[in-house]
Amino acid sequence: DQQVKQNSPSLSVQEGRISILNCDYTNSMFDYFLWYKKYPAEGPTFLISISSIKDKNEDGRFTVFLNKSAKHLSLHIVPSQPGDSAVYFCAASALRIQGAQKLVFGQGTRLTINP
Amino acid sequence: SAVISQKPSRDICQRGTSLTIQCQVDSQVTMMFWYRQQPGQSLTLIATANQGSEATYESGFVIDKFPISRPNLTFSTLTVSNMSPEDSSIYLCSADTSGGLLDTQYFGPGTRLTVL
């Protein structure tokens, strides 16, 4: 049972354009969502997060949108830069319910930014 | 944030042997975790490493196969016991530096394990 799904295994975007990565979840108990970026041979790096009490969180070029009714979140990167090429993981947790940091990850989307 | 290091970075092991992976954090943290990423798969939580007590394992993972130690607030080890080729994965440790408030975990670089 895949509770967090990233249906696009890969995405290719031209430099300077907007990159949109999508993530869907099934567990309505999830109340905290995170995006991680992973380069080859490195561990995932925390990028941005959002609590379920919000529908948008912005940090520089990165914005995460949460649509609770659709159980969907997206990460927008604008403008996209070559250094953004990496695998992006969506993760979710039910912090209020479980009281512990059990992150459930999606399968990842490989983003390639073309010059 | 936290700087997390892991040793070894990679290893090739024979079937039936065991490997212990070390994880060191540059600051004291309350929560440390161990994940596995099998080829082409997502990250899956193996267990939460509790300081001073037994680790808490997720469904599908048992202490006999993946014994974990957490002797202090900056260090943990994961042992992969009696290895088989199916254990070939990247093993990652992570730490929560928010004290349980924000659920933001920071990850080590991972240990790439190949079992022949």
Side-chain angles (χ1 to χ4, degrees), chain A residues 68-79:
Chain A
K68 289 187 289 295
S69 61
K71 294 190 177 66
H72 177 83
L73 66 156
S74 61
L75 174 68
H76 292 211
I77 306 173
V78 55

Side-chain angles (χ1 to χ4, degrees), chain A residues 2 31-32 34 36 38 41-46 49 89-90 92-95 99-108, chain B residues 31 33 35 37 40-43 45 48 56 58 90 92 96 98-110 112:
Chain A
Q2 190 75 28
D31 56 7
Y32 195 72
L34 309 90
Y36 284 85
K38 186 180 185 301
E42 295 183 11
T45 303
F46 170 72
S49 63
F89 288 97
C90 168
S93 75
L95 186 62
Q101 294 80 352
K102 294 186 179 184
L103 293 181
V104 180
F105 283 84
Q107 308 96 308
Chain B
M31 309 288 286
F33 307 86
Y35 288 82
Q37 185 183 15
Q41 303 293 316
S42 177
L43 284 78
L45 179 63
T48 302
T56 304
E58 297 301 305
I90 298 174
L92 302 111
D96 169 54
S98 70
L101 298 178
L102 293 178
D103 206 6
T104 301
Q105 294 178 26
Y106 294 87
F107 285 81
R112 182 178 294 273

Side-chain angles (χ1 to χ4, degrees), chain A residues 15-72:
Chain A
E15 181 179 0
R17 298 289 188 99
I18 184 171
S19 296
I20 300 176
L21 296 97
N22 294 303
C23 178
D24 297 295
Y25 61 95
T26 57
N27 189 341
S28 57
M29 295 298 184
F30 288 146
D31 56 7
Y32 195 72
F33 305 89
L34 309 90
W35 284 94
Y36 284 85
K37 178 171 73 173
K38 186 180 185 301
Y39 293 120
E42 295 183 11
T45 303
F46 170 72
L47 199 55
I48 193 170
S49 63
I50 188 167
S51 165
S52 60
I53 62 174
K54 295 185 175 181
D55 54 19
K56 176 183 174 181
N57 189 26
E58 191 172 352
D59 184 2
R61 296 186 297 114
F62 302 93
T63 303
V64 56
F65 295 92
L66 175 62
N67 183 334
K68 289 187 289 295
S69 61
K71 294 190 177 66
H72 177 83

